Amino acid sequence: MPDTQIICKKKVCIITGAYASQEGATPTILSNFVDLIEAISCNLCVITGNFPRIKTNSTKIIRVLICNGQKNVLSRISCSLVIQIKMSYELVKVQRDIDLVLFFLGSRTLFLPMITIKLLKKNIAVVYVGSLFGANYVEGKSIMKRVIFDRIPYILTELSYILCDNIIVYSKLLFSDTQLEKYLHKSIIAHRHFLDFETFTVTTSLSDRPPLIGYIGRLSEVKGVQHFVRALPVILGHRQGLRVLIGGDGQLKDSIKVSLQEKGIAARVDLPGWITHDDLPWYLNQLRLLVLPSYTEGLPNIMLEAMACGTPVLATPVGAVPDVIVDGKTGFIMENNSPECIAENVVRALEHPDLVGIVKCARALVENEFTFDKAVERWGKILEEMCIDV
């Protein structure tokens, strides 16, 4: 454990959302955040709705999940309310052991616990995890106004932002994407990302890899994977020996399979399904290029993990991506995620004369900026400042 763990010795509670996993979060993300805060707090508890796997030795874990897999809208709302009431009750029980509460993952569904913390006069911070608003924008069109039930989470999000003392965002670039400009006065810039460089490392040099490009992530419209699929006939026509990997699962899985069959390229595209975090380094070390054609992002872990594995990344300039990828230096940026633009930029990236140099610069960047020690130091200072007036 780094020396910086002594920076902030405050009592912290992390609260996770009842339906956080539906927002793209994984137990690994939460476990990493718990490890980070555990290193800089004298007492940490986690109140969680649906994260059964948190690897920790000293943190108190309070689980409140009582129902799961509700498909009916009213059933989901009822389940969420019951979970929030239980969370609020647990907060009252542990209030003496709390200086600061961090709402991490799905804070938009946790309005009742936030009201409880406000009444208990504890400091509150919302830790931005992903694009709460952006995830509902596809091809620039909002679906927020379909029915009243779709709008409720966004109303609660706004109320949560008003109630909290601070909003911790990991890039200035996210303010416009997340509609947070009006909360600049209470916002703190700090990413929480760090990598295990023994796991995510270069095991196969770029020159020794097969002619394989790919996409890894959720198979959903907001990720733009459907446009990547539409670009494949042009890409594969330009490079006869090239193969494609599309790793992941989601609502577009079946339509992607049908599309590949219709275009006559299914034989050149591998669909391994969801790739576990343990298997991810091996897959990344097989790719000559990772394509991320998202409509919206925060700071995607898969991008950082690919860079650590010596895999060039081609991405749209959304979220905090431009903070990390400089076109032609640490990766490649495409102007948009239209099939034509994707195809053009895939060819451009694969034919770049200094791919090896880009890979080295990208690896050096993540090794310098995304270590556990740096994350602990950064967050230790933040929590110390937030706890001063407690």
Side-chain angles (χ1 to χ4, degrees):
M1 199 66 67
D3 295 338
T4 47
Q5 65 178 333
I6 64 173
I7 290 177
C8 177
K9 286 300 180 181
K10 299 298 181 179
K11 295 177 286 186
V12 181
C13 178
I14 297 173
I15 299 183
T16 74
Y19 296 104
S21 62
Q22 293 180 0
E23 294 168 8
T26 65
T28 300
I29 294 175
L30 178 60
S31 294
N32 287 347
F33 188 67
V34 169
D35 290 342
L36 175 59
I37 302 303
E38 193 173 44
I40 50 181
S41 64
C42 61
N43 185 74
L44 175 63
C45 71
V46 178
I47 299 178
T48 174
N50 65 341
F51 279 95
R53 293 175 290 167
I54 302 176
K55 299 177 182 179
T56 179
N57 296 320
S58 58
T59 296
K60 180 180 181 181
I61 308 296
I62 301 172
R63 306 187 193 282
V64 299
L65 181 63
I66 61 168
C67 53
N68 200 6
Q70 303 293 324
K71 295 183 178 180
N72 179 275
V73 173
L74 291 177
S75 297
R76 290 201 304 269
I77 292 175
S78 299
C79 178
S80 178
L81 285 174
V82 173
I83 290 173
Q84 289 188 61
I85 291 170
K86 290 195 68 176
M87 285 182 167
S88 299
Y89 172 72
E90 294 294 342
L91 280 168
V92 172
K93 286 172 58 179
V94 300
Q95 61 175 300
R96 295 181 181 274
D97 297 323
I98 297 174
D99 294 325
L100 169 68
V101 179
L102 301 175
F103 282 79
F104 182 83
L105 303 180
S107 59
R108 68 184 182 190
T109 65
L110 298 177
F111 187 65
L112 292 183
M114 188 167 286
I115 288 287
T116 302
I117 288 298
K118 202 68 179 177
L119 292 174
L120 293 174
K121 298 181 179 180
K122 306 292 184 178
N123 281 12
I124 302 172
V126 171
V127 181
Y128 176 83
V129 176
S131 183
L132 299 182
F133 290 99
N136 288 275
Y137 279 83
V138 177
E139 298 183 359
K141 299 179 180 179
S142 172
I143 61 171
M144 287 170 55
K145 298 181 180 180
R146 290 183 306 178
V147 293
I148 186 63
F149 291 123
D150 289 322
R151 300 184 64 185
I152 290 175
Y154 301 94
I155 295 171
L156 294 180
T157 298
E158 285 293 324
L159 292 174
S160 297
Y161 288 158
I162 292 170
L163 285 175
C164 71
D165 298 295
N166 293 103
I167 302 171
I168 304 176
V169 183
Y170 38 76
S171 172
K172 292 180 180 179
L173 298 175
L174 291 169
F175 286 122
S176 59
D177 288 350
T178 57
Q179 303 179 13
L180 289 174
E181 295 98 331
K182 54 189 161 187
Y183 304 111
L184 283 171
H185 63 285
K186 62 169 70 177
S187 296
I188 299 172
I189 307 298
H191 70 75
R192 51 170 174 75
H193 300 69
F194 62 88
L195 298 175
D196 177 357
F197 290 100
E198 292 185 1
T199 299
F200 290 94
T201 189
V202 181
T203 56
T204 306
S205 65
L206 198 62
S207 59
D208 292 333
R209 298 181 185 186
L212 179 69
I213 65 170
Y215 165 90
I216 299 175
R218 277 187 294 131
L219 304 183
S220 63
E221 289 189 2
V222 75
K223 293 295 185 179
V225 62
Q226 70 275 20
H227 300 313
F228 178 56
V229 173
R230 292 171 192 156
L232 290 180
V234 175
I235 296 170
L236 295 176
H238 189 271
R239 291 213 167 196
Q240 295 301 318
L242 193 65
R243 292 188 61 84
V244 180
L245 168 79
I246 300 178
D249 200 356
Q251 62 194 41
L252 297 182
K253 178 176 66 175
D254 292 338
S255 63
I256 287 174
K257 289 181 179 178
V258 171
S259 179
L260 295 174
Q261 290 288 348
E262 291 177 346
K263 297 177 186 301
I265 56 174
R268 296 176 65 182
V269 182
D270 298 322
L271 300 168
W274 188 256
I275 297 174
T276 67
H277 200 253
D278 290 339
D279 292 335
L280 194 52
W282 184 85
Y283 279 96
L284 290 174
N285 269 275
Q286 301 303 302
L287 296 178
R288 289 179 178 260
L289 182 70
L290 177 71
V291 183
L292 301 177
S294 305
Y295 279 103
T296 178
E297 284 287 356
L299 180 57
N301 276 335
I302 186 67
M303 175 183 71
L304 303 177
E305 291 160 347
M307 294 167 74
C309 290
T311 303
V313 177
L314 167 65
T316 45
V318 295
V321 169
D323 284 343
V324 178
I325 293 186
V326 177
D327 190 77
K329 294 184 178 179
T330 55
F332 300 94
I333 294 291
M334 50 187 162
E335 296 81 3
N336 58 67
N337 63 3
S338 67
E340 296 78 14
C341 188
I342 293 173
E344 177 184 341
N345 280 279
V346 166
V347 173
R348 176 175 72 94
L350 291 176
E351 293 180 351
H352 193 279
D354 191 23
L355 264 182
V356 173
I358 289 175
V359 163
K360 289 181 179 178
C361 287
R363 169 78 186 187
L365 174 66
V366 293
E367 282 184 321
N368 184 58
E369 297 295 330
F370 295 94
T371 66
F372 182 74
D373 285 11
K374 279 209 168 185
V376 167
E377 181 180 4
R378 183 183 305 113
W379 278 78
K381 293 177 180 177
I382 288 171
L383 297 194
E384 185 65 35
E385 292 173 0
M386 293 180 63
C387 293
I388 286 176
D389 298 327
V390 176

